[in-house]
Amino acid sequence: MYLMDAHSVLFLKDGFLPTRTGCYIFSHSVAIVPVTVSNKLIKLSCAIAAVCTYFVATHWLQVTYAPDPNLAFGPDVPGVKIRLMPPFARLEGSKFAVAKERYKLFDDLADSEENHGRSTIELYENDTLLGPAHSDHSDIANLGRGRFSHWRKNGTTVYWSSSDNTDPATNGRAYWMVKPYQSEKN
């Protein structure tokens, strides 16, 4: 008979030992050899190797990683900031003007048909303030150069162009809407 459990292995002498393929091999002795110490040693070695690998990888990431502050925290200006994340819709087929529609995008401040100059929102390309604000949408699409508009349509939509008329979806820059803090009046 052949026995095996988690703590020992049975060797046969002068008998047949079944193999995984269903064949039998001939052996000369029977002995039970405990292997618990070896299993514990192997598990401990693997655990130590895993912990060492973790700390080496963590140290390497700390040394080599340098986040772009414009992507993580926005421009260095006071106010409430919202990053505009792709995908962006094309504005009137322009290669450098896009739109982002979203609810709760400072909806209460957005320009409308009744009030074209209400929005106090600032738009930043990394740390660069874009403008002029409240631009006509056709000017944003045709002239670009940082023009933008914060408009109430289907919630709120922001229309803008990059500062150098590159594609905002692929130029690698972060676009931030900033609602400036209002100064307290005495």
Side-chain angles (χ1 to χ4, degrees):
M1 180 178 253
Y2 166 80
L3 296 174
M4 183 180 228
D5 62 15
H7 303 290
S8 61
V9 176
L10 174 67
F11 293 99
L12 295 176
K13 182 173 183 173
D14 299 328
F16 289 96
L17 181 66
T19 63
R20 290 184 186 183
T21 60
C23 299
Y24 290 87
I25 59 172
F26 185 75
S27 181
H28 295 291
S29 65
V30 176
I32 296 178
V33 179
V35 290
T36 25
V37 175
S38 297
N39 283 342
K40 286 182 180 179
L41 186 59
I42 291 171
K43 288 179 182 180
L44 180 62
S45 298
C46 288
I48 290 171
V51 169
C52 289
T53 303
Y54 169 79
F55 283 111
V56 168
T58 303
H59 177 70
W60 178 78
L61 287 172
Q62 286 177 342
V63 170
T64 60
Y65 180 69
D68 182 353
N70 296 316
L71 299 178
F73 306 109
D76 189 21
V77 294
V80 179
K81 302 167 191 170
I82 295 178
R83 181 167 178 206
L84 301 172
M85 300 293 290
F88 304 130
R90 292 273 164 224
L91 179 59
E92 299 175 11
S94 174
K95 294 185 182 200
F96 52 81
V98 294
K100 183 68 175 181
E101 182 179 305
R102 189 176 127 183
Y103 289 100
K104 296 187 180 179
L105 200 57
F106 306 122
D107 296 348
D108 55 329
L109 298 175
D111 292 346
S112 63
E113 288 292 330
E114 299 80 36
N115 189 348
H116 287 280
R118 174 175 45 197
S119 179
T120 58
I121 296 302
E122 298 172 345
L123 185 65
Y124 286 84
E125 180 181 74
N126 290 346
D127 278 331
T128 304
L129 179 64
L130 296 179
H134 316 289
S135 294
D136 185 73
H137 298 164
S138 62
D139 287 346
I140 297 170
N142 297 320
L143 302 174
R145 297 286 178 210
R147 290 172 173 79
F148 75 95
S149 174
H150 176 223
W151 198 258
R152 181 173 297 145
K153 176 186 173 192
N154 299 333
T156 302
T157 304
V158 180
Y159 304 92
W160 81 94
S161 59
S162 61
S163 60
D164 59 354
N165 286 358
T166 57
D167 183 0
T170 60
N171 65 12
R173 299 182 195 133
Y175 291 90
W176 294 85
M177 290 183 66
V178 178
K179 175 184 175 185
Y181 291 132
Q182 300 298 323
S183 60
E184 294 182 24
K185 296 182 181 180
N186 295 332

